[in-house]
Amino acid sequence: MGCSGTAFDIVDVDAIWDRISPRMFDEWCTECEDVRIRCRKGRALCLACDDGVTIVTLKPGPGRLELFVLLAVGFKPGAFKRQESAMLSIARDLEADTLAFQPRRRGWERLLGPQWSRVGNKFVRGVPNGR
């Protein structure tokens, strides 16, 4: 078992970058490089499992802490559904109150369950038994 009893392991972003970079959209590659730098500086965490790679950071807010997904690359169809509970476990262990991401593609409303809500340009859900 990896992080928080999940299939995810903490990995060096540079060790996995060549595997995930071909799957990124050209129009946001400069933003992806910024995410890579955040990992190198210890301001973001790169997590990998057989389903894909997720890079997350903690964002403080008024009276809460959010685990924010900066970048996610799936290797297999259905990775989000299979790994959503793992991300919640990691968020809970990091004492985050919410899990959030800003989508790059359309159609997330159809995939997400009722526990997710749209807040501005991102999707957010509470972390069960969070802080």
Side-chain angles (χ1 to χ4, degrees):
M1 284 283 159
C3 276
S4 303
T6 71
F8 283 99
D9 288 313
I10 299 171
V11 298
D12 180 335
V13 69
D14 292 320
I16 196 90
W17 198 255
D18 287 344
R19 185 163 183 213
I20 63 174
S21 60
R23 299 171 182 268
M24 295 178 208
F25 300 112
D26 289 338
E27 62 266 18
W28 60 288
C29 279
T30 56
E31 185 178 332
C32 293
E33 190 58 32
D34 291 341
V35 169
R36 186 179 187 184
I37 291 167
R38 285 175 122 182
C39 286
R40 288 176 178 161
K41 291 183 176 183
R43 295 192 326 245
L45 194 59
C46 185
L47 306 167
C49 70
D50 288 344
D51 265 333
V53 173
T54 303
I55 299 176
V56 297
T57 191
L58 288 170
K59 288 186 170 186
R64 66 175 178 78
L65 189 62
E66 179 173 88
L67 183 66
F68 189 80
V69 176
L70 295 167
L71 183 133
V73 176
F75 299 144
K76 303 174 186 176
F80 174 82
K81 283 288 190 193
R82 283 190 302 278
Q83 299 303 331
E84 182 179 7
S85 64
M87 292 306 301
L88 288 169
S89 291
I90 293 167
R92 188 173 27 261
D93 282 358
L94 293 173
E95 298 184 354
D97 301 295
T98 58
L99 174 62
F101 70 97
Q102 182 179 345
R104 303 286 180 217
R105 296 181 182 183
R106 294 180 190 198
W108 280 98
E109 292 88 354
R110 293 187 307 270
L111 182 64
L112 300 175
Q115 57 279 50
W116 289 89
S117 52
R118 187 157 199 133
V119 178
N121 61 353
K122 65 182 181 178
F123 287 103
V124 180
R125 71 163 288 170
V127 175
N129 300 318
R131 293 192 299 165

